[in-house]
Amino acid sequence: MLHQNLREEELKSRIAATYFADYDCASIIDIIDFCVSVPNSHHTETLSLLWAEAKRGKSDIYKSIVQLILTIGKARTFDKHLPPAFLGAFDAEKIVFIPYNDIHDIFYLNDFNWNVTPSNYDTKEFVLVLEKVMQTIEQKSLLFHFEQDDKEILSFVQNNFVVGKSDASKIRIDKNNFITIYIKWLQTVKPTIAVNWDLVKKAGIIDGDFYLADLLSRENETLKDKLFVLLKKDYYVLDRKINDLGFFNESKTNFIDHQKAHTQFWNRYERPPQEQYWDYIVQRRDLLVPQDVRERKGSFFTPQVWVELSQRYLSDVLGEDWQDEYYIWDCAAGTGNLLNGLTNKYHIWASTLDKQDVDVMHDRIKNGANLLENHVFQFDFLNDDFTKLPKTLQTVINNPEKRRKLVIYINPPYVESNGRISTVRKDTKNTKTYERYATKLEKVGAELFVQFLIRIYIEIPDCIIGQFSTLKAVSASNSTVFRSHFLARLDSLFVIPSYTFDNVKGKFPIGFFIWKTNEKEKFKQITASVYGANGRFVGTKMVYSYDNGQGKINGWLTLFAITNGENNFIGVLMADAPDFQNNNFVAIQNNKSKRHDIFFNINKKNIIQTAVYFAVRKCIPATWLNDRDQFLYPNEGWQTDTESQNDCLAYALFHGQNRISSNDGINHWIPFTEQEVDAKEKFASNFMTQFIKGKLKTASNGEIFDTQHTPRTTPLVFSAEANAVFEAGQKLWQYYHQQPNANTNASLYDIRQHFQGYSDKGRMNNRSTNETYHQLVLLLRDQLKILAQKIIPKVYQYGFLK
């Protein structure tokens, strides 16, 4: 929204510059507020494209249109100038256009007094015009809001402000923009539909079904009768069922605003889209499913590139004639896109939880999808008994020889989590499969895809499983019990980025696994093929179960926990689950925070081990590929590598996740003396420089210098890369202490806070307006990156990572 306090003239200038820069907005036509004309016209008179009323702040935009009509009618402007293509009105929030030829009849009213003040909204003439044109305005006007419709306004102007053009061009809908339009529909149209959304969602109907009814319609009549919701002019029909007498029963609902918002919204867009997009849009209903429903039911559409790749891998493992020699059941089919490209429809079955998806697949069959209608059915795999399956599929499952030739080919639902249980995850345990096999699943049983795997493994023994999922079942520590029961040979695996799947949040690997359940073995490791977002092979990656008893890095860290004196520490290490996806939470700070219960007190005895832990967790950037990699209990090699230990200390001292602040207590982490940074006062603590120089002395008063051992008296020796970090840090500290009112005891975090400040949301800004500081902190970060490259090989050498 433009600033509400803008004066009207300034508002008009902003609108002209933003949306009509290619046109002449300087023409003055009678007393019309705002005129847009063809620039540099060779015609003898102005060729107008828009006459508009302007209002500062917020206004009733439709009354502004009426005021404009009265202004034009009073001056008989249309007799002296060629009328424009559009009339319009705008304020600081929105703009509306209406084709002139849809409104011009009002200017020829008989016995009408045009000699009134247009801005007086109380006259009977104003009320009369408002009554006569209101329905036309609601049905024909195109209303845009500056904040959310900026691109649409520019597109509308570009396509419609053309000399000689009489009809307004609406925005065309295709497979690339129908989701963007849906998001706008949610904000504008959905609130005006008289529906209890919680109740209809329980019945399996989503707001996206209403959107599809709107989208695939002409003159407000839905064109595809297989949709779950149909638009019938000014109301919707849903929940259509055949009763016992063979008649249709249906529910109806209408609009709470007499369809006003609906009409205004769809005035912008050309409906329906071209027919070539219909099947794609209906098939991609998953994109319209709310997040909680997607997570519960697994509406994660598999991109075609991965569908084709998975079928190629199945062919490599099972043979090129696999589609004729094997049977295929997708028991989490959604709208069936995973089955695209398969050729033998007599060997394929597809089941899904939702009847709507079954209807979509049946509709696709009528449009050429290579499936048999009676092989597509509704089935709740995690709850229903196999006796509900089609007899033809039961025959395969119940025959041991045929069952060996059955491929369960699925992209099952999964709830991706960072380890903290959500409401949705609790719901995932309310299945009969979980109840039946809870002891074989334990914690990982909250993952729906694992429930699919265990039921398939136990109740459809010796089959082949071709399955998309995260790597959690094979790598996560929560899956150890599951892996002890799921004994099958993992014959092949490729991994791909999660962000190539619509509706999947985060960046992590999704794998396609081919399991041979008739070959009993416990998974240990496999070399997986890796493909990038563009579908190209980029290399290989070892995937491990981590079940060899090595232990994790957090277990190693506990060896160095402080056992004497809770007050005897200089800070705390906030740790987290030992994988890359949780590295963002690892930090050094003054005290414990509320978020975690994994805290490690730091003092002189364990500061080196803390720094090693911190550097190991931070020196390698997290990527989609390593997101689930586990940090491990190291071998003994790190203990004698003092140079690497000191590199880690330097890294921890100057890293951005060192959040020690003098505002939260005494700062024991200043890596310089007062003289080295030209401090104006003595520091409250010189612990860190004394520790580095080997000058800590034994005390007996319970302070942080206490030690049961003889303190080190020789200074730490740093590598060239670490010294470069210290030098860059010193320049930054020196510059800070030149500032007026510098905090003598400032930490790195305090210095960043001073120069970068905070946003309105309470987060530290990414950069500072102080260019000197910006260059100094960039230098420090560059030197840290160089140091990180020196530390990384040691991470693998000492077994912190495989």
Side-chain angles (χ1 to χ4, degrees):
M1 186 175 71
L2 298 171
H3 200 286
Q4 291 194 45
N5 294 327
L6 287 177
R7 293 176 300 174
E8 187 175 301
E9 290 304 314
E10 187 175 358
L11 174 64
K12 290 190 288 185
S13 297
R14 292 273 189 97
I15 296 298
T18 303
Y19 300 109
F20 303 102
D22 295 333
Y23 302 90
D24 177 11
C25 299
S27 299
I28 299 175
I29 298 178
D30 286 347
I31 57 172
I32 296 172
D33 280 347
F34 186 79
C35 301
V36 178
S37 307
V38 177
N40 302 320
S41 173
H42 298 295
H43 296 270
T44 56
E45 59 181 306
T46 302
L47 295 180
S48 295
L49 298 171
L50 172 68
W51 294 346
E53 183 73 24
K55 296 289 182 184
R56 68 189 299 268
K58 289 185 179 181
S59 66
D60 185 328
I61 203 79
Y62 298 134
K63 288 185 178 179
S64 296
I65 288 283
V66 174
Q67 181 178 339
L68 176 65
I69 291 170
L70 290 171
T71 300
I72 295 169
K74 182 178 183 178
R76 306 293 292 179
T77 309
F78 48 83
D79 288 338
K80 297 176 284 184
H81 302 274
L82 290 175
F86 296 94
L87 299 183
F90 58 84
D91 56 22
E93 179 186 44
K94 55 194 174 294
I95 188 169
V96 64
F97 302 94
I98 185 167
Y100 179 85
N101 57 15
D102 285 330
I103 209 82
H104 66 80
D105 286 350
I106 193 70
F107 295 119
Y108 301 98
L109 286 175
N110 292 323
D111 300 323
F112 183 80
N113 176 25
W114 289 98
N115 194 26
V116 294
T117 303
S119 59
N120 186 349
Y121 292 2
D122 296 326
T123 65
K124 66 178 182 179
E125 288 81 7
F126 188 97
V127 174
L128 177 62
V129 172
L130 180 62
E131 291 175 351
K132 286 185 174 295
V133 302
M134 194 61 191
Q135 184 176 0
T136 302
I137 292 174
E138 289 179 348
Q139 293 179 352
K140 300 294 185 179
S141 65
L142 295 99
L143 177 65
F144 302 92
H145 288 76
F146 297 124
E147 187 170 345
Q148 65 193 51
D149 300 323
D150 181 70
K151 293 182 179 178
E152 283 87 347
I153 300 172
L154 291 169
S155 176
F156 177 81
V157 171
Q158 181 180 2
N159 292 329
N160 290 281
F161 278 47
V162 179
V163 176
K165 187 175 179 62
S166 57
D167 296 324
S169 294
K170 298 183 178 182
I171 298 170
R172 291 187 176 183
I173 304 171
D174 56 33
K175 65 181 182 180
N176 296 317
N177 66 3
F178 81 99
I179 294 300
T180 302
I181 296 168
Y182 164 66
I183 294 170
K184 295 178 182 296
W185 180 94
L186 286 176
Q187 300 169 346
T188 306
V189 179
K190 179 183 174 181
T192 69
I193 303 174
V195 164
N196 184 320
W197 295 104
D198 291 332
L199 289 179
V200 298
K201 187 161 64 173
K202 291 179 181 178
I205 301 170
I206 60 174
D207 49 39
D209 292 317
F210 288 81
Y211 172 69
L212 290 177
D214 281 357
L215 182 61
L216 300 176
S217 68
R218 180 178 288 113
E219 297 179 357
N220 282 345
E221 289 275 0
T222 302
L223 300 172
K224 291 178 72 70
D225 59 3
K226 290 293 184 181
L227 296 181
F228 216 65
V229 176
L230 303 179
L231 176 63
K232 299 290 187 180
K233 293 297 185 182
D234 58 355
Y235 64 92
Y236 294 100
V237 172
L238 59 154
D239 199 24
R240 293 167 291 140
K241 298 176 181 177
I242 299 177
N243 63 23
D244 295 337
L245 297 177
F247 295 106
F248 261 115
N249 285 340
E250 60 186 22
S251 300
K252 298 180 181 179
T253 190
N254 50 23
F255 299 89
I256 62 177
D257 67 340
H258 305 291
Q259 209 173 359
K260 178 179 175 180
H262 183 274
T263 301
Q264 292 172 351
F265 181 83
W266 288 114
N267 278 348
R268 307 181 199 170
Y269 303 103
E270 183 178 324
R271 290 184 295 165
Q274 293 182 22
E275 193 166 352
Q276 69 193 66
Y277 301 126
W278 291 10
D279 189 53
Y280 175 84
I281 289 173
V282 172
Q283 188 180 1
R284 295 314 313 271
R285 177 181 177 270
D286 65 293
L287 294 174
L288 311 178
V289 177
Q291 180 68 20
D292 62 330
V293 177
R294 282 200 302 266
E295 291 179 334
R296 187 173 71 255
K297 297 184 177 179
S299 299
F300 297 104
F301 187 92
T302 314
Q304 187 61 29
V305 61
W306 309 135
V307 171
E308 294 172 2
L309 186 62
S310 67
Q311 292 175 12
R312 195 181 87 200
Y313 269 67
L314 284 167
S315 179
D316 290 342
V317 171
L318 304 178
E320 62 181 18
D321 296 326
W322 75 280
Q323 294 189 52
D324 296 322
E325 296 175 358
Y326 287 80
Y327 304 96
I328 302 163
W329 179 20
D330 183 351
C331 55
T335 56
N337 83 293
L338 190 59
L339 304 174
N340 288 343
L342 298 181
T343 56
N344 190 347
K345 61 184 177 182
Y346 299 99
H347 278 203
I348 302 170
W349 289 266
S351 63
T352 185
L353 185 63
D354 291 325
K355 184 180 183 301
Q356 303 98 303
D357 290 338
V358 174
D359 292 341
V360 169
M361 283 191 278
H362 284 168
D363 189 57
R364 291 182 57 223
I365 290 170
K366 293 179 179 179
N367 288 302
N370 194 34
L371 298 168
L372 294 177
E373 191 162 325
N374 61 347
H375 280 204
V376 175
F377 54 97
Q378 185 178 7
F379 185 75
D380 184 348
F381 188 84
L382 298 182
N383 290 293
D384 289 346
D385 191 87
F386 283 176
T387 56
K388 294 183 179 181
L389 297 174
K391 295 298 182 183
T392 51
L393 181 55
Q394 288 189 51
T395 299
V396 174
I397 291 175
N398 295 330
N399 184 312
E401 292 304 316
K402 289 185 176 180
R403 194 169 59 235
R404 286 175 177 269
K405 293 288 187 178
L406 175 61
V407 179
I408 306 297
Y409 180 36
I410 50 174
N411 181 6
Y414 57 89
V415 181
E416 189 54 41
S417 170
N418 56 8
R420 283 161 290 283
I421 305 299
S422 69
T423 302
V424 175
R425 286 178 60 85
K426 291 177 182 176
D427 291 343
T428 64
K429 295 183 179 182
N430 295 331
T431 69
K432 291 181 179 179
T433 297
Y434 180 82
E435 292 173 1
R436 192 178 304 142
Y437 302 117
T439 58
K440 292 179 170 61
L441 298 173
E442 291 196 347
K443 292 181 180 179
V444 79
E447 301 289 339
L448 286 178
F449 81 88
V450 177
Q451 294 182 32
F452 271 78
L453 287 178
I454 199 67
R455 186 179 190 191
I456 295 167
Y457 178 78
I458 293 176
E459 299 184 29
I460 314 177
D462 298 335
C463 70
I464 305 294
I465 304 175
Q467 146 249 343
F468 285 93
S469 76
T470 67
L471 307 187
K472 189 169 291 187
V474 295
S475 293
S477 56
N478 285 351
S479 304
T480 302
V481 173
F482 167 76
R483 287 192 290 271
S484 69
H485 292 283
F486 188 86
L487 303 177
R489 172 178 170 77
L490 181 55
D491 198 279
S492 181
L493 170 64
F494 68 76
V495 294
I496 51 186
S498 62
Y499 55 83
T500 60
F501 289 70
D502 294 312
N503 299 328
V504 177
K505 293 184 178 180
K507 294 183 178 181
F508 51 88
I510 288 178
F512 180 71
F513 304 75
I514 301 179
W515 298 95
K516 292 183 177 179
T517 65
N518 64 323
E519 299 183 31
K520 306 301 181 185
E521 63 180 56
K522 186 176 180 181
F523 173 74
K524 294 181 180 178
Q525 64 184 52
I526 191 172
T527 302
S529 299
V530 181
Y531 292 85
N534 58 7
R536 296 177 182 172
F537 176 78
V538 296
T540 60
K541 176 180 177 60
M542 291 299 299
V543 177
Y544 301 93
S545 69
Y546 303 107
D547 290 338
N548 60 358
Q550 180 178 354
K552 304 296 170 56
I553 193 172
N554 286 352
W556 168 78
L557 185 65
T558 60
L559 297 177
F560 313 103
I562 298 172
T563 57
N564 296 322
E566 281 298 316
N567 297 322
N568 209 12
F569 60 91
I570 62 170
V572 297
L573 171 70
M574 184 168 73
D576 209 305
D579 53 28
F580 276 91
Q581 66 174 319
N582 288 290
N583 272 1
N584 283 341
F585 302 116
V586 175
I588 295 171
Q589 53 196 42
N590 296 69
N591 303 294
K592 296 180 180 179
S593 60
K594 295 180 180 179
R595 183 191 177 277
H596 288 262
D597 57 4
I598 305 178
F599 289 98
F600 184 79
N601 291 336
I602 308 169
N603 73 354
K604 181 240 181 195
K605 291 191 296 182
N606 62 20
I607 190 172
I608 290 294
Q609 292 87 346
T610 301
V612 170
Y613 179 97
F614 182 91
V616 165
R617 294 291 300 263
K618 293 291 187 180
C619 67
I620 301 174
T623 68
W624 72 266
L625 186 57
N626 67 19
D627 188 70
R628 271 31 176 189
D629 287 1
Q630 303 282 313
F631 290 93
L632 303 172
Y633 197 114
N635 58 46
E636 296 179 354
W638 71 274
Q639 297 179 9
T640 56
D641 192 343
T642 55
E643 180 175 304
S644 180
Q645 293 174 18
N646 296 343
D647 284 342
C648 292
L649 177 61
Y651 191 82
L653 286 173
F654 294 96
H655 193 278
Q657 284 294 93
N658 187 327
R659 297 177 181 172
I660 293 291
S661 172
S662 61
N663 296 319
D664 297 325
I666 296 176
N667 177 13
H668 299 292
W669 293 74
I670 303 175
F672 307 106
T673 64
E674 294 88 344
Q675 293 78 15
E676 288 172 331
V677 296
D678 298 323
K680 296 180 176 63
E681 300 288 345
K682 180 173 175 55
F683 297 153
S685 171
N686 294 107
F687 171 84
M688 193 56 63
T689 52
Q690 291 179 353
F691 174 79
I692 290 172
K693 295 177 181 179
K695 292 184 178 181
L696 289 182
K697 297 179 180 180
T698 302
S700 58
N701 56 1
E703 296 184 355
I704 62 172
F705 307 106
D706 284 359
T707 177
Q708 298 175 355
H709 307 283
T710 303
R712 173 178 45 82
T713 58
T714 57
L716 300 180
V717 178
F718 292 97
S719 65
E721 293 84 353
N723 279 322
V725 171
F726 273 95
E727 290 172 7
Q730 184 178 1
K731 293 177 181 177
L732 180 61
W733 252 267
Q734 288 172 339
Y735 181 68
Y736 169 76
H737 282 282
Q738 295 173 14
Q739 308 307 307
N741 302 318
N743 174 6
T744 300
N745 296 294
S747 65
L748 175 61
Y749 187 85
D750 296 331
I751 294 172
R752 292 173 57 220
Q753 182 183 51
H754 172 83
F755 286 108
Q756 294 174 215
Y758 286 97
S759 68
D760 295 337
K761 296 180 179 180
R763 296 178 181 175
M764 189 181 294
N765 295 318
N766 290 329
R767 63 165 295 162
S768 169
T769 57
N770 185 309
E771 189 58 31
T772 301
Y773 163 79
H774 183 64
Q775 293 302 319
L776 289 172
V777 81
L778 283 181
L779 174 63
L780 176 58
R781 291 170 184 168
D782 287 343
Q783 296 301 329
L784 271 177
K785 290 176 183 177
I786 294 172
L787 180 59
Q789 292 302 310
K790 184 172 186 292
I791 296 171
I792 288 173
K794 303 292 186 176
V795 173
Y796 292 96
Q797 180 181 340
Y798 300 136
F800 288 106
L801 284 174
K802 285 188 175 181

